[in-house]
Each structure stands twice: as structure tokens, then as C-alpha cells.
């Protein structure tokens, strides 16, 4: 829980969406320097009873926590794609994430998730409300996201690609080592 992950922005959006009558509850996993401030902010925003801070979650328990949720929200300002996004997609959560290049590879807005411009609270609110109002989209994305993660991010599925790449590198290196050294 650090500032660059914009949890405060998420809390503000959840508070505003809750005031519109949408029953949003937030599960926050992790530790970090901002935890106390975020807990205080949730209280000031009037959503302290709608937010649960889990602290560090045992990796073996994370799938069970994610399976209790319908939506996964992550709003970092800069980052590559996160393992937690893959875990959430595999567990059936509809992802709402920052519109960053790495996330664009995984998320097709309106099909399997939502991309929100960095620091755009209004668009985050809109995405949360749209997810609530379009249960069919959430249901349709459930299986599609799991298949996508299994195809593109599963170690079991992709291990042969890694092995093949390493073998090619080794063969290329061996071939390069056998070339004569050019005379100067």
C-alpha cells in the first residue's frame, strides 16, 4: 500500500459510487507505508464499514479472497502488468485497471475489462458503475479471462516456449563461439 498505487483514488471513487446507491464493498490486500492513512481516509469518506484491510495475505489464500469479489481494481501510475491482475482474471474478477501499455495487451474495454486513464477518478467511478449495471458483461468475461490467462500467462502452458527460447539462445551462442575471430 504505497502512494503510486492510488488506493486513495480508489477509496474516493468507491465512496462516490456508494452515495449513488450502489452497494460497493472493498477488500484491500497488502501492507505498506500508506495503510494507516488509507484506513483514516476510508473513515473520513464514510465508507469505513465498506472497506476491509486484510494486510498481507498468504498466497495460498488469495484465490479464495478473489473469488469472493466480482471486480478487481488496480490503479497504479506506472508499472508493467501485475501478477495480481492475472490471479484476479483467473479467479473470475472483472478487471478495472489503469490504462497503461502493459494492461492494454490483456484488457479489451467493453469485452473483458475496463481501462481507466491514470488518476481519472470520474472515469473510475463510471467504470465501477458500468460494471454494476452490466452483469452480463461480468458473466461473459468470467470464462474468457480465465482462458486468456491460461493461454498467455500460465507457466504450465507456456513452459515449452521458455525452454525453446533458451535452447535457441544456447545454440546461437555455441555457433557464435565457433566462428573465427576476425583479424585486425
Amino acid at each position: 500500500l504505497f502512494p503510486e498505487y492510488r488506493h486513495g483514488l480508489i477509496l474516493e471513487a468507491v465512496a462516490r459510487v456508494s452515495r449513488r446507491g450502489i452497494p460497493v464493498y472493498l477488500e484491500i490486500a497488502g501492507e505498506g507505508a500508506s495503510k494507516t492513512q488509507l484506513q483514516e481516509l476510508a473513515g473520513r469518506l464514510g465508507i469505513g464499514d465498506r472497506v476491509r484491510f486484510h494486510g498481507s495475505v498468504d498466497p495460498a489464500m488469495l484465490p479464495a479472497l478473489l473469488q469472493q469479489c466480482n471486480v478487481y481494481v488496480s490503479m497504479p501510475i506506472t508499472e508493467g502488468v501485475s501478477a495480481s491482475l492475472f490471479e484476479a482474471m483467473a479467479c473470475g474478477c472483472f478487471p478495472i485497471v489503469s490504462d497503461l501499455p502493459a494492461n492494454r495487451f490483456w484488457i479489451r474495454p467493453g469485452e473483458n475489462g475496463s481501462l481507466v486513464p491514470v488518476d481519472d477518478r470520474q472515469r473510475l467511478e463510471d467504470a465501477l458503475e458500468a460494471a454494476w449495471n452490466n452483469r452480463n458483461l461480468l458473466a461473459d468475461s468470467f470464462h474468457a479471462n480465465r482462458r486468456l490467462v491460461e493461454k498467455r500467462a500460465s507457466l504450465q502452458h507456456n513452459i515449452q516456449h521458455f525452454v525453446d527460447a533458451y535452447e535457441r539462445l544456447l545454440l546461437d551462442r555455441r555457433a557464435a563461439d565457433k566462428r573465427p575471430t576476425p583479424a585486425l
Side-chain angles (χ1 to χ4, degrees):
L1 305 178
F2 295 94
E4 59 270 19
Y5 292 96
R6 299 302 199 252
H7 294 96
L9 177 82
I10 296 169
L11 290 170
E12 291 169 3
V14 165
R16 293 173 63 97
V17 168
S18 293
R19 287 194 285 273
R20 295 182 201 155
I22 296 174
V24 178
Y25 293 88
L26 193 57
E27 307 286 341
I28 298 179
E31 292 289 343
S34 300
K35 183 176 183 178
T36 301
Q37 295 94 326
L38 293 169
Q39 290 170 320
E40 292 169 356
L41 177 59
R44 284 195 310 275
L45 292 170
I47 58 170
D49 61 333
R50 294 177 172 266
V51 181
R52 187 169 18 170
F53 289 86
H54 292 271
S56 292
V57 175
D58 181 325
M61 301 305 294
L62 189 58
L65 177 61
L66 287 167
Q67 289 169 350
Q68 296 173 26
C69 302
N70 295 314
V71 174
Y72 165 84
V73 180
S74 181
M75 293 286 119
I77 56 174
T78 180
E79 181 179 299
V81 70
S82 68
S84 64
L85 172 60
F86 301 149
E87 293 165 340
M89 291 172 73
C91 288
C93 296
F94 181 82
I96 299 175
V97 295
S98 301
D99 188 1
L100 300 172
N103 288 336
R104 288 183 208 131
F105 182 74
W106 294 93
I107 304 301
R108 295 174 311 281
E111 291 180 34
N112 74 328
S114 293
L115 294 171
V116 174
V118 171
D119 283 337
D120 191 333
R121 190 197 69 233
Q122 183 59 54
R123 294 278 296 276
L124 176 54
E125 291 173 32
D126 295 344
L128 288 167
E129 190 168 350
W132 172 257
N133 289 327
N134 193 345
R135 297 304 178 120
N136 289 336
L137 177 60
L138 270 64
D140 291 345
S141 71
F142 177 86
H143 295 292
N145 281 341
R146 181 162 185 98
R147 282 191 306 274
L148 182 64
V149 168
E150 287 173 350
K151 179 179 178 183
R152 291 186 183 169
S154 168
L155 183 59
Q156 291 80 8
H157 187 291
N158 291 314
I159 193 77
Q160 192 58 49
H161 297 290
F162 294 121
V163 169
D164 292 345
Y166 283 121
E167 286 177 351
R168 280 192 306 275
L169 287 170
L170 287 171
L171 290 173
D172 290 348
R173 177 61 189 223
R174 286 183 188 146
D177 289 345
K178 292 180 181 179
R179 290 188 203 132
T181 305
L184 296 176

